[in-house]
């Protein structure tokens, strides 16, 4: 019992320390030592001790690091999410690490591979949740993260785990009086870190920029409660207020910044649903056309991109981005390709019992003000505006490396993310989202423009440096040029190959220790 208590306390300590490396505190150096207490519990004779510590680590780290979800799913939901992450990922990770360590492999050598393998699985199992990767804590360590254009964020995570494991191994070896051998893990980790820093310093010098189109990002900070009212009895009036606020900010913004080439409104901030069905009333079509012309006029004839809910020609409901030209004509449309489970669609809705989906749907509708019935778009598109090519992404799509990478064959010059983070008021979610977005810029060597309803709206260059930003909960506009680059990216071509290799090597080590006598003694 004492061992279990120590394991739980140590795992929780590592989990809390890891959370402190992320916003709101953003003490990113802590990530390089946060796992040391967790790893110190393990040695070649006692690998079984990992299960309880990892249980505590998962609950402590994700329970606090993702507390921003509480306004939507309640604290109980955050706890259940943390337990799910432990069951699906950190529990099997602890078993694998314990098994390999008991059979003579060094924890500092195998932990980076296995950790990355399970982080990679976390990007797509149950629709995926690639949030709070250890790498994301290093968004401000610009030189370190440059290698992400080869390995993706997974390479930075592997390096952090390697350093933590090497420190723990060195401490244990020094305590055991192993002399010069005690510093071998530290030497390997230090050499790897130096190589990554050298690569980063050199690569930053090769990624050069030129000023591209000037964008005007409108940030009106509309509360989510007001968004819910759009579907209520006073919906038309509330929608008119939201629309009018964006119209005025646009009008004032382009007159203050006459060199603007493109105006962007955030996700769903054109508050009137667009109905493209052939059966849609002609009155609706005329009204939407009139509103689009009004937006174009407010922008002084400049192209405008905005988010809206849309009913397709076949009657499907989509979360979309529309581009209108100087005359208010729609010239391009993008439909969100990843819809959020629970928030935008009910998982397994078509195969679950009707009474269950009805109950779940009604509960979500009471909380959010609408039934989540959105369907997913078909593929990436590119908009042309201000003599540049923009690949639009909506909200959480920016956190998925593969979804972003799928747009790269279309040769966009800019990644454009339209978001609405008003779901999470007074939380640290926008800061964490921006850190993840920085990795998408580095991985693909493309600037990212973020237009977020309540912030943080920002312009991030291809080196992952924030060029301009409008803070959270600030009503106003952000106007600046987009730094374009001709730099290429290995990651944009090969994707998550680094993570695949890590997963394959983990499986190979397991196979060796399980079945091959020559690789580790008698089979078990």
């Amino acid at each position: 019992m004492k061992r279990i208590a120590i394991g739980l306390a140590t795992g929780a300590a590592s989990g809390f320390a890891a959370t402190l490396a992320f916003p709101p505190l953003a003490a990113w150096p802590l990530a390089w030592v946060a796992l040391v207490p967790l790893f110190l519990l393990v040695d070649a004779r006692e690998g079984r001790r990992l299960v309880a510590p990892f249980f505590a680590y998962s609950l402590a780290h994700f329970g606090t690091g993702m507390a921003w979800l509480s306004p939507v799913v309640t604290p109980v939901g955050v706890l259940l999410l943390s337990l799910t992450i432990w069951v699906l990922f950190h529990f099997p990770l602890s078993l694998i690490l314990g098994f390999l360590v008991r059979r003579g492999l060094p924890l500092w050598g195998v932990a980076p591979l296995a950790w990355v393998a399970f982080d990679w699985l976390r990007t797509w199992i149950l629709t995926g949740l690639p949030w709070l990767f250890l790498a994301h804590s290093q968004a401000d360590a610009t030189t370190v993260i440059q290698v992400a254009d080869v390995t993706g964020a997974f390479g930075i995570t592997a390096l952090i785990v390697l350093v933590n494991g090497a420190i723990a191994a060195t401490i244990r070896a020094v305590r055991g009086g192993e002399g010069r051998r005690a510093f071998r893990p530290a030497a390997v980790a230090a050499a790897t870190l130096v190589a990554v820093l050298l690569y980063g310093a050199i690569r930053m010098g090769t990624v050069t920029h030129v000023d591209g189109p000037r964008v005007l990002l409108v940030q009106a900070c509309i509360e989510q409660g007001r968004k819910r009212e759009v579907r209520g009895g006073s919906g038309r009036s509330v929608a008119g207020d939201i629309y009018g606020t964006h119209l005025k900010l646009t009008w004032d913004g382009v007159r203050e910044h006459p060199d603007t080439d493109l105006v962007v409104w955030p996700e769903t901030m054109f508050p009137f649903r667009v109905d493209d069905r052939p059966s849609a009333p002609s009155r609706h079509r005329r009204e939407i056309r009139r509103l689009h012309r009004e937006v174009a006029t407010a922008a002084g004839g400049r192209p405008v991109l905005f988010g809206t809910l849309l009913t397709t020609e076949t009657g499907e409901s989509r979360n979309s981005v529309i581009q209108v030209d100087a005359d208010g004509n729609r010239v391009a449309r993008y439909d969100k390709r990843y819809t959020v489970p629970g928030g935008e669609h009910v998982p397994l809705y078509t195969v679950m019992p009707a009474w269950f989906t009805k109950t779940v749907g009604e509960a979500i509708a009471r909380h959010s003000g609408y039934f989540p019935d959105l369907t997913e778009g078909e593929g990436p598109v590119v908009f042309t505006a201000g003599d540049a090519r923009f690949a639009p992404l909506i909200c959480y799509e920016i956190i998925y490396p593969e979804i972003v990478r799928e747009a790269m064959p279309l040769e966009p010059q800019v990644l454009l993310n339209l978001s609405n983070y008003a779901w999470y008021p007074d939380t640290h979610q926008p800061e964490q989202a921006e850190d993840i977005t920085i990795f998408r810029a580095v991985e693909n060597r493309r600037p990212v423009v973020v237009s977020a309803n309540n912030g943080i709206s920002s312009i991030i260059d291809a080196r992952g440096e924030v060029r301009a930003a409008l803070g959270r909960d600030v009503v106003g506009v952000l106007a600046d040029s987009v730094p374009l680059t001709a730099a290429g990216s290995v990651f944009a071509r090969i994707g998550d190959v680094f993570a695949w290799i890590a997963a394959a090597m983990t499986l190979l080590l397991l196979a060796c220790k399980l079945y091959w006598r020559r690789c580790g003694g008698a089979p078990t």
Side-chain angles (χ1 to χ4, degrees):
M1 185 62 69
K2 182 179 179 181
R3 284 186 174 184
I4 293 176
I6 292 173
L8 291 173
T10 304
S14 282
F16 287 130
T19 294
L20 294 177
F22 294 83
L25 186 61
W28 60 266
L30 277 176
W32 300 90
V33 296
L35 303 182
V36 172
L38 186 67
F39 289 166
L40 278 173
L41 292 178
V42 188
D43 60 33
R45 297 179 303 278
E46 297 177 331
R48 293 181 182 86
R49 286 190 180 185
L50 271 178
V51 174
F54 263 92
F55 171 77
Y57 173 86
S58 295
L59 264 61
H61 183 38
F62 291 94
T64 56
M66 299 198 70
W68 52 267
L69 271 170
S70 295
V72 175
V73 301
T74 75
V76 173
V78 175
L79 176 61
L80 291 175
L81 174 64
S82 305
L83 284 170
T84 301
I85 291 173
W86 175 71
V87 169
L88 293 178
F89 307 107
H90 286 168
F91 175 60
L93 173 60
S94 66
L95 294 180
I96 289 173
L97 289 180
F99 174 81
L100 294 176
V101 168
R102 289 197 304 273
R103 277 149 183 79
L105 294 178
L107 180 68
W108 64 271
V110 297
L113 300 174
W115 200 291
V116 165
F118 279 96
D119 269 3
W120 173 63
L121 291 175
R122 189 152 61 87
T123 64
W124 57 272
I125 287 182
L126 295 182
T127 75
L129 183 64
W131 203 278
L132 287 188
F133 285 172
L134 291 172
H136 297 155
S137 67
Q138 305 302 299
D140 291 336
T142 308
T143 305
V144 173
I145 68 173
Q146 297 306 306
V147 75
D149 72 350
V150 177
T151 66
F154 298 110
I156 313 300
T157 293
L159 179 60
I160 293 171
V161 177
L162 171 63
V163 169
N164 275 274
I167 292 173
T170 301
I171 292 172
R172 283 200 305 268
V174 169
R175 285 177 177 174
E178 295 184 22
R180 193 174 298 175
R181 292 179 56 189
F183 299 98
R184 288 182 181 175
V188 173
T192 306
L193 179 58
V194 168
V196 167
L197 289 171
L198 284 173
Y199 176 86
I202 295 170
R203 192 70 172 108
M204 286 182 68
T206 64
V207 180
T208 57
H209 302 94
V210 296
D211 287 342
R214 293 187 63 84
V215 297
L216 181 84
L217 310 180
V218 178
Q219 183 172 299
C221 298
I222 305 299
E223 296 179 357
Q224 194 60 30
R226 294 289 285 166
K227 292 275 290 172
R228 293 191 189 102
E229 292 177 25
V230 169
R231 292 173 178 257
S234 59
R236 190 72 183 179
S237 173
V238 175
D241 290 343
I242 294 172
Y243 171 75
T245 299
H246 284 82
L247 210 63
K248 184 178 187 306
L249 286 170
T250 300
W251 182 277
D252 293 342
V254 296
R255 275 140 194 84
E256 184 179 351
H257 305 279
D259 52 354
T260 294
D261 296 306
L262 171 67
V263 177
V264 184
W265 293 8
E267 176 189 15
T268 67
M269 288 303 137
F270 182 81
F272 304 103
R273 178 180 282 270
V274 177
D275 193 340
D276 280 351
R277 291 176 298 178
S279 60
S282 58
R283 182 178 66 252
H284 168 82
R285 295 178 182 275
R286 289 194 302 269
E287 177 66 6
I288 292 297
R289 177 68 188 277
R290 182 187 69 81
L291 293 171
H292 286 179
R293 282 199 302 267
E294 203 169 57
V295 172
T297 300
R302 297 163 179 83
V304 183
L305 299 175
F306 52 77
T308 186
L309 293 179
L310 179 142
T311 302
T312 68
E313 296 84 347
T314 57
E316 294 181 304
S317 186
R318 300 280 175 86
N319 186 350
S320 303
V321 178
I322 286 176
Q323 178 183 355
V324 296
D325 64 13
D327 297 318
N329 298 311
R330 187 201 304 179
V331 295
R333 185 185 104 199
Y334 168 74
D335 298 331
K336 190 176 184 183
R337 290 176 291 140
Y338 170 82
T339 55
V340 180
E344 293 180 319
H345 77 273
V346 178
L348 305 178
Y349 181 75
T350 58
V351 298
M352 296 295 287
W355 65 267
F356 178 80
T357 54
K358 182 175 184 294
T359 302
V360 171
E362 289 176 351
I364 295 172
R366 283 194 301 270
H367 179 76
S368 62
Y370 68 92
F371 182 79
D373 60 348
L374 299 182
T375 58
E376 297 181 343
E378 286 74 27
V381 301
V382 167
F383 294 170
T384 300
D387 296 324
R389 293 167 58 81
F390 293 78
L393 300 150
I394 300 178
C395 200
Y396 279 5
E397 289 183 321
I398 197 68
I399 75 172
Y400 292 90
E402 191 58 29
I403 288 179
V404 177
R405 196 178 73 86
E406 285 173 358
M408 297 309 292
L410 300 180
E411 299 182 351
Q413 295 168 283
V414 184
L415 302 174
L416 176 64
N417 182 226
L418 279 65
S419 293
N420 173 29
Y421 297 143
W423 290 94
Y424 316 106
D426 304 317
T427 72
H428 47 272
Q429 189 269 352
E431 288 82 2
Q432 290 187 1
E434 182 175 60
D435 287 350
I436 297 173
T437 303
I438 285 171
F439 274 86
R440 301 295 90 83
V442 176
E443 287 169 352
N444 297 284
R445 292 302 178 194
R446 289 294 179 270
V448 181
V449 174
V450 180
S451 178
N453 169 39
N454 64 323
I456 303 170
S457 296
S458 58
I459 298 173
I460 303 167
D461 69 24
R463 292 184 294 203
E465 297 178 318
V466 179
R467 291 293 190 93
L470 191 61
R472 53 188 292 182
D473 302 321
V474 176
V475 177
V477 298
L478 174 65
D480 210 333
S481 61
V482 181
L484 303 181
T485 182
S489 160
V490 173
F491 180 85
R493 294 194 296 271
I494 68 173
D496 294 331
V497 169
F498 180 87
W500 301 347
I501 293 173
M505 291 182 68
T506 302
L507 290 174
L508 180 61
L509 290 173
L510 281 173
C512 286
K513 293 303 179 182
L514 280 169
Y515 303 112
W516 296 354
R517 182 186 299 270
R518 63 184 180 183
C519 291
T524 58

